[in-house]
Short mmCIF file of all heavy atoms in Angstrom, two decimals:
data_model
loop_
_atom_site.label_atom_id
_atom_site.label_comp_id
_atom_site.label_asym_id
_atom_site.label_seq_id
_atom_site.Cartn_x
_atom_site.Cartn_y
_atom_site.Cartn_z
N LEU S 233 -7.87 -0.68 -14.78
CA LEU S 233 -8.43 -1.63 -13.82
C LEU S 233 -7.34 -2.09 -12.86
O LEU S 233 -6.38 -2.73 -13.26
CB LEU S 233 -9.04 -2.81 -14.58
CG LEU S 233 -9.41 -4.07 -13.78
CD1 LEU S 233 -10.44 -3.80 -12.70
CD2 LEU S 233 -9.93 -5.16 -14.73
N VAL S 234 -7.51 -1.73 -11.58
CA VAL S 234 -6.58 -2.22 -10.55
C VAL S 234 -7.22 -3.38 -9.82
O VAL S 234 -8.33 -3.25 -9.26
CB VAL S 234 -6.20 -1.10 -9.56
CG1 VAL S 234 -5.35 -1.67 -8.40
CG2 VAL S 234 -5.47 0.04 -10.26
N ALA S 235 -6.59 -4.53 -9.86
CA ALA S 235 -7.08 -5.71 -9.16
C ALA S 235 -6.61 -5.64 -7.70
O ALA S 235 -5.42 -5.66 -7.42
CB ALA S 235 -6.52 -6.97 -9.80
N VAL S 236 -7.60 -5.49 -6.81
CA VAL S 236 -7.25 -5.33 -5.37
C VAL S 236 -7.09 -6.72 -4.76
O VAL S 236 -8.05 -7.43 -4.55
CB VAL S 236 -8.31 -4.50 -4.64
CG1 VAL S 236 -7.91 -4.35 -3.16
CG2 VAL S 236 -8.45 -3.13 -5.29
N SER S 237 -5.84 -7.08 -4.49
CA SER S 237 -5.49 -8.45 -4.17
C SER S 237 -5.18 -8.66 -2.69
O SER S 237 -4.68 -9.71 -2.31
CB SER S 237 -4.31 -8.88 -5.02
OG SER S 237 -3.30 -7.85 -5.10
N LYS S 238 -5.49 -7.65 -1.86
CA LYS S 238 -5.22 -7.79 -0.42
C LYS S 238 -5.84 -9.05 0.13
O LYS S 238 -6.96 -9.43 -0.27
CB LYS S 238 -5.75 -6.55 0.32
CG LYS S 238 -7.25 -6.41 0.21
CD LYS S 238 -7.74 -5.10 0.80
CE LYS S 238 -9.24 -4.98 0.67
NZ LYS S 238 -9.72 -3.60 0.75
N PHE S 239 -5.10 -9.70 1.04
CA PHE S 239 -5.54 -10.95 1.72
C PHE S 239 -5.53 -12.18 0.80
O PHE S 239 -5.81 -13.27 1.28
CB PHE S 239 -6.93 -10.81 2.38
CG PHE S 239 -7.07 -9.61 3.28
CD1 PHE S 239 -8.24 -8.87 3.30
CD2 PHE S 239 -6.04 -9.22 4.11
CE1 PHE S 239 -8.37 -7.77 4.14
CE2 PHE S 239 -6.16 -8.12 4.95
CZ PHE S 239 -7.34 -7.39 4.95
N HIS S 240 -5.28 -12.00 -0.47
CA HIS S 240 -5.21 -13.19 -1.34
C HIS S 240 -3.75 -13.57 -1.55
O HIS S 240 -2.88 -12.72 -1.66
CB HIS S 240 -5.90 -12.89 -2.68
CG HIS S 240 -7.38 -12.69 -2.56
ND1 HIS S 240 -8.25 -13.74 -2.36
CD2 HIS S 240 -8.13 -11.56 -2.53
CE1 HIS S 240 -9.49 -13.26 -2.25
NE2 HIS S 240 -9.44 -11.95 -2.34
N PRO S 241 -3.48 -14.86 -1.64
CA PRO S 241 -2.09 -15.33 -1.78
C PRO S 241 -1.50 -14.98 -3.15
O PRO S 241 -2.25 -14.77 -4.10
CB PRO S 241 -2.21 -16.84 -1.62
CG PRO S 241 -3.60 -17.17 -2.00
CD PRO S 241 -4.45 -15.98 -1.64
N SER S 242 -0.20 -14.93 -3.23
CA SER S 242 0.42 -14.55 -4.51
C SER S 242 0.08 -15.52 -5.63
O SER S 242 0.07 -15.13 -6.80
CB SER S 242 1.94 -14.39 -4.41
OG SER S 242 2.47 -15.00 -3.30
N SER S 243 -0.28 -16.78 -5.29
CA SER S 243 -0.70 -17.69 -6.35
C SER S 243 -1.95 -17.19 -7.05
O SER S 243 -2.10 -17.36 -8.27
CB SER S 243 -0.96 -19.09 -5.74
OG SER S 243 -1.91 -19.00 -4.72
N ALA S 244 -2.87 -16.53 -6.29
CA ALA S 244 -4.08 -15.99 -6.90
C ALA S 244 -3.73 -14.82 -7.82
O ALA S 244 -4.33 -14.65 -8.89
CB ALA S 244 -5.07 -15.54 -5.82
N LEU S 245 -2.74 -14.01 -7.43
CA LEU S 245 -2.31 -12.91 -8.27
C LEU S 245 -1.67 -13.45 -9.56
O LEU S 245 -1.92 -12.92 -10.65
CB LEU S 245 -1.30 -12.01 -7.55
CG LEU S 245 -1.84 -11.01 -6.53
CD1 LEU S 245 -2.40 -11.71 -5.29
CD2 LEU S 245 -0.79 -10.03 -6.14
N ALA S 246 -0.86 -14.49 -9.39
CA ALA S 246 -0.18 -15.06 -10.55
C ALA S 246 -1.20 -15.60 -11.55
O ALA S 246 -1.05 -15.44 -12.76
CB ALA S 246 0.77 -16.16 -10.10
N ARG S 247 -2.27 -16.23 -11.02
CA ARG S 247 -3.31 -16.72 -11.91
C ARG S 247 -3.96 -15.59 -12.70
O ARG S 247 -4.16 -15.68 -13.91
CB ARG S 247 -4.42 -17.46 -11.11
CG ARG S 247 -4.18 -18.95 -10.99
CD ARG S 247 -5.47 -19.72 -10.66
NE ARG S 247 -6.14 -19.21 -9.48
CZ ARG S 247 -5.78 -19.55 -8.22
NH1 ARG S 247 -4.77 -20.37 -8.03
NH2 ARG S 247 -6.45 -19.06 -7.19
N LEU S 248 -4.27 -14.48 -11.99
CA LEU S 248 -4.90 -13.34 -12.67
C LEU S 248 -3.94 -12.70 -13.66
O LEU S 248 -4.35 -12.28 -14.76
CB LEU S 248 -5.42 -12.33 -11.64
CG LEU S 248 -6.45 -11.35 -12.16
CD1 LEU S 248 -7.71 -12.07 -12.63
CD2 LEU S 248 -6.80 -10.31 -11.11
N ALA S 249 -2.67 -12.61 -13.28
CA ALA S 249 -1.67 -12.06 -14.21
C ALA S 249 -1.62 -12.94 -15.48
O ALA S 249 -1.46 -12.42 -16.58
CB ALA S 249 -0.30 -12.02 -13.55
N GLY S 250 -1.85 -14.22 -15.30
CA GLY S 250 -1.87 -15.15 -16.43
C GLY S 250 -3.04 -14.88 -17.37
O GLY S 250 -3.00 -15.25 -18.55
N CYS S 251 -4.10 -14.25 -16.85
CA CYS S 251 -5.25 -13.88 -17.70
C CYS S 251 -4.98 -12.57 -18.42
O CYS S 251 -5.79 -12.14 -19.25
CB CYS S 251 -6.51 -13.73 -16.89
SG CYS S 251 -6.91 -15.06 -15.75
N GLY S 252 -3.91 -11.88 -18.06
CA GLY S 252 -3.56 -10.62 -18.72
C GLY S 252 -3.61 -9.40 -17.84
O GLY S 252 -3.31 -8.30 -18.29
N GLN S 253 -3.94 -9.54 -16.55
CA GLN S 253 -4.03 -8.38 -15.67
C GLN S 253 -2.63 -7.85 -15.32
O GLN S 253 -1.72 -8.63 -15.08
CB GLN S 253 -4.79 -8.75 -14.39
CG GLN S 253 -4.87 -7.66 -13.32
CD GLN S 253 -5.55 -6.39 -13.82
OE1 GLN S 253 -6.24 -6.39 -14.84
NE2 GLN S 253 -5.37 -5.31 -13.12
N ARG S 254 -2.49 -6.52 -15.27
CA ARG S 254 -1.18 -5.91 -15.06
C ARG S 254 -1.08 -5.01 -13.83
O ARG S 254 0.01 -4.69 -13.41
CB ARG S 254 -0.75 -5.11 -16.30
CG ARG S 254 -0.37 -5.96 -17.49
CD ARG S 254 0.88 -6.78 -17.21
NE ARG S 254 1.11 -7.80 -18.23
CZ ARG S 254 0.71 -9.07 -18.14
NH1 ARG S 254 0.03 -9.48 -17.07
NH2 ARG S 254 0.96 -9.93 -19.10
N ASP S 255 -2.21 -4.52 -13.31
CA ASP S 255 -2.16 -3.61 -12.15
C ASP S 255 -2.75 -4.31 -10.93
O ASP S 255 -3.87 -4.81 -10.98
CB ASP S 255 -2.99 -2.34 -12.44
CG ASP S 255 -2.35 -1.45 -13.48
OD1 ASP S 255 -2.58 -1.69 -14.69
OD2 ASP S 255 -1.61 -0.53 -13.07
N PHE S 256 -1.98 -4.31 -9.84
CA PHE S 256 -2.43 -4.94 -8.61
C PHE S 256 -2.39 -3.93 -7.46
O PHE S 256 -1.46 -3.12 -7.38
CB PHE S 256 -1.60 -6.18 -8.28
CG PHE S 256 -1.86 -7.33 -9.23
CD1 PHE S 256 -1.09 -7.47 -10.36
CD2 PHE S 256 -2.89 -8.21 -8.98
CE1 PHE S 256 -1.34 -8.53 -11.26
CE2 PHE S 256 -3.15 -9.26 -9.87
CZ PHE S 256 -2.37 -9.41 -11.01
N GLY S 257 -3.42 -4.00 -6.60
CA GLY S 257 -3.51 -3.07 -5.47
C GLY S 257 -3.43 -3.80 -4.15
O GLY S 257 -4.10 -4.80 -3.96
N GLU S 258 -2.64 -3.27 -3.24
CA GLU S 258 -2.48 -3.86 -1.91
C GLU S 258 -2.66 -2.77 -0.88
O GLU S 258 -2.40 -1.60 -1.14
CB GLU S 258 -1.07 -4.47 -1.79
CG GLU S 258 -0.88 -5.74 -2.60
CD GLU S 258 -1.57 -6.95 -1.96
OE1 GLU S 258 -1.68 -6.99 -0.72
OE2 GLU S 258 -1.98 -7.86 -2.72
N SER S 259 -3.10 -3.18 0.34
CA SER S 259 -3.36 -2.14 1.33
C SER S 259 -2.49 -2.25 2.58
O SER S 259 -2.64 -1.47 3.50
CB SER S 259 -4.84 -2.17 1.74
OG SER S 259 -5.18 -3.43 2.21
N ARG S 260 -1.58 -3.23 2.59
CA ARG S 260 -0.62 -3.31 3.69
C ARG S 260 0.78 -3.44 3.11
O ARG S 260 1.01 -4.25 2.19
CB ARG S 260 -0.90 -4.54 4.57
CG ARG S 260 -2.22 -4.43 5.28
CD ARG S 260 -2.42 -5.61 6.14
NE ARG S 260 -3.78 -5.64 6.69
CZ ARG S 260 -4.19 -6.56 7.56
NH1 ARG S 260 -3.38 -7.50 7.97
NH2 ARG S 260 -5.42 -6.51 8.01
N ALA S 261 1.68 -2.64 3.68
CA ALA S 261 3.03 -2.53 3.08
C ALA S 261 3.77 -3.86 3.09
O ALA S 261 4.38 -4.25 2.08
CB ALA S 261 3.82 -1.46 3.82
#
Side-chain angles (χ1 to χ4, degrees):
L233 166 60
V234 174
V236 180
S237 43
K238 62 188 180 201
F239 308 141
H240 293 285
S242 19
S243 56
L245 281 69
R247 268 201 305 279
L248 198 62
C251 311
Q253 175 60 15
R254 288 294 169 265
D255 290 85
F256 290 91
E258 288 285 330
S259 57
R260 294 181 189 184

